[in-house]
Amino acid sequence: YGQNVWIIMMALAPWLFLGAAVSGLIHVLLPHDFVQRHLTGRRSVIKAVAFGIPLPLCSCGVIPAGLGLKKDGASDGASVGFLISTPQTGVDSILVAAAFLGWPFALFKVLAAALTGFVGGWLTDQFGGDSVPWTDSNPSEHGHARNGWREAVDHGEDLIRSIWGWLVIGVLVSAAITSWIPTEGFTSITNWGPIVTLLTVLVISLPLYVCATASVPIAASLVAGGFPTGAALVFLMAGPATNVATIGAIQRAFGKRVLGLYLGTIIAGSVGLGILFDQLFTTTAVMATDGDHHEAWWAVVTAVALSLLLARYAIEDTKQWWSSKTIQ
C-alpha cells in the first residue's frame, strides 16, 4: 500500500505542479479582461473546451487550472466544461491511445471529451443555480496589477492550498483501490454482459486517480484481456475526469448542484458513448507491458516537494484549528 501511495504521488505531483503553473501563467500573462470577455457569455463553454482539449493536463493537474479560470472570472459553465474535457485527452494522450488502441478509438475519445465538456458546461449554465463565490486565501491579490512570476507562483500555490485536504484523501483512496482491487481481479466480470462490465469499470474508475496518458496501457490491457473496448473508453473518460480530490474541489468551488451535473454528465456520457463505440467499431489492443513505473528524477523531486507542501499545509491548518479551539 505504501509503495502504491508513493507511485501515485510521483504520477500526480508533476501534473499538479504543471496545472498550477499553467493557471499562474494564465492569471499573469493574459489581459485583465481576457477571461471575462472570452469565457463568459454564449460561446464561453465552446471556447473553454476547445482551449482545454489539447492541453497536457490530467486528473489532479487540471484542478488548479480549472479553478483558476473561475477565480479569474470565467463562468461556471466554462470552468466546468474545461474541467470535464481537459483531463480526458491531450496531444500526448491522443498519440498514446492511437498506438495502443488505434486511431478510430483515439479520435472518438477526443470527440467524447469535447461532447461531454460542452454538455456539462451547458447544463451548469442552465441549471447550476447561483455561482458559489470564490473564497480566496489571499484576497489582496484581486484587482491589482499582475507583477510577474512571483504573483504567478502565489496564484498557483493558493489554488493547491485550497484543495490540499482532498488531494491527500484522493491519493489514499486511489492507493487503496490499486492495492486491493487489481485489474486482473475483475476480468471475470466480462461474463456478466457489456452493460454490467461498463458500469463496473465506471464504479471503479470514478474515485481512482489515473492520468489520461499513463492509464492508456491499463485500458489496453483490459481490452486484450477480454473487456469490450467501450469499457476502456469508460475508464479513460471517467478515470481522468473524476477522483476523490476532483469531486471535493468541485463541490467546494461550485456547490453540490454543479457537482451533481458534473458527475451525471461524465457517468451518462462515458457509459453511453462506450456502448455507442462498441456498436460502431471493432478494436484490438496492443498488450501493455509491466514495469512502466520507473522513478524519473523529476517525478521523485516533485513528489517530495508536494509531500513537504502538504505536510506544511496540514501543520499550519492544525495550528490554526487548535488556536481557534483554545480561544473558545
Side-chain angles (χ1 to χ4, degrees), residues 138-156:
N138 187 11
S140 61
E141 284 186 12
H142 257 339
H144 294 288
R146 301 171 182 188
N147 296 318
W149 69 270
R150 183 64 214 178
E151 184 171 348
V153 171
D154 290 342
H155 181 84

Side-chain angles (χ1 to χ4, degrees), residues 5-153:
V5 169
W6 177 244
I7 288 173
I8 292 170
M9 285 291 289
M10 288 194 297
L12 180 153
W15 298 106
L16 180 68
F17 285 129
L18 177 61
V22 169
S23 178
L25 290 174
I26 291 173
H27 177 72
V28 170
L29 296 179
L30 293 182
H32 287 279
D33 61 345
F34 181 89
V35 172
Q36 287 87 346
R37 284 191 292 113
H38 292 281
L39 296 184
T40 57
R42 293 180 57 187
R43 295 186 177 88
S44 61
V45 175
I46 296 175
K47 292 178 182 178
V49 170
F51 175 61
I53 281 179
L55 291 180
L57 297 175
C58 63
S59 208
C60 287
V62 79
I63 300 175
L67 298 188
L69 292 179
K70 175 179 172 61
K71 182 179 179 181
D72 282 344
S75 69
D76 282 1
S79 302
V80 168
F82 181 89
L83 284 165
I84 290 177
S85 60
T86 304
Q88 295 184 47
T89 187
V91 175
D92 52 344
S93 173
I94 294 168
L95 296 176
V96 173
F100 277 90
L101 292 162
W103 276 106
F105 180 89
L107 295 177
F108 192 91
K109 189 163 79 79
V110 174
L111 293 176
L115 179 61
T116 52
F118 173 75
V119 171
W122 181 83
L123 289 173
T124 298
D125 277 342
Q126 297 298 316
F127 307 107
D130 295 333
S131 177
V132 178
W134 177 266
T135 303
D136 197 343
S137 64
N138 187 11
S140 61
E141 284 186 12
H142 257 339
H144 294 288
R146 301 171 182 188
N147 296 318
W149 69 270
R150 183 64 214 178
E151 184 171 348
V153 171

Side-chain angles (χ1 to χ4, degrees), residues 80-311:
V80 168
F82 181 89
L83 284 165
I84 290 177
S85 60
T86 304
Q88 295 184 47
T89 187
V91 175
D92 52 344
S93 173
I94 294 168
L95 296 176
V96 173
F100 277 90
L101 292 162
W103 276 106
F105 180 89
L107 295 177
F108 192 91
K109 189 163 79 79
V110 174
L111 293 176
L115 179 61
T116 52
F118 173 75
V119 171
W122 181 83
L123 289 173
T124 298
D125 277 342
Q126 297 298 316
F127 307 107
D130 295 333
S131 177
V132 178
W134 177 266
T135 303
D136 197 343
S137 64
N138 187 11
S140 61
E141 284 186 12
H142 257 339
H144 294 288
R146 301 171 182 188
N147 296 318
W149 69 270
R150 183 64 214 178
E151 184 171 348
V153 171
D154 290 342
H155 181 84
E157 184 183 354
D158 182 67
L159 294 172
I160 294 176
R161 178 167 194 135
S162 70
I163 59 172
W164 77 267
W166 288 106
L167 288 174
V168 172
I169 295 173
V171 169
L172 296 178
V173 171
S174 183
I177 293 174
T178 303
S179 300
W180 299 317
I181 312 180
T183 301
E184 60 271 16
F186 54 87
T187 52
S188 61
I189 296 169
T190 56
N191 298 326
W192 300 351
I195 302 294
V196 175
T197 301
L198 266 61
L199 290 175
T200 303
V201 172
L202 173 70
V203 170
I204 292 172
S205 62
L206 279 176
L208 192 64
Y209 171 80
V210 293
C211 173
T213 301
S215 58
V216 170
I218 301 175
S221 296
L222 292 176
V223 176
F227 275 66
T229 310
L233 184 66
V234 171
F235 183 77
L236 293 175
M237 290 179 66
T242 63
N243 57 62
V244 176
T246 304
I247 291 170
I250 289 177
Q251 179 178 335
R252 180 182 184 278
F254 299 94
K256 292 181 179 179
R257 182 182 296 185
V258 172
L259 175 62
L261 295 172
Y262 179 93
L263 292 176
T265 299
I266 294 171
I267 291 170
S270 61
V271 174
L273 291 170
I275 294 172
L276 178 62
F277 184 88
D278 284 336
Q279 296 297 318
L280 297 177
F281 300 98
T282 301
T283 302
T284 57
V286 178
M287 189 63 182
T289 58
D290 295 327
D292 291 332
H293 293 298
H294 58 283
E295 296 187 0
W297 67 266
W298 43 267
V300 174
V301 170
T302 53
V304 171
L306 180 59
S307 300
L308 295 175
L309 199 61
L310 295 176

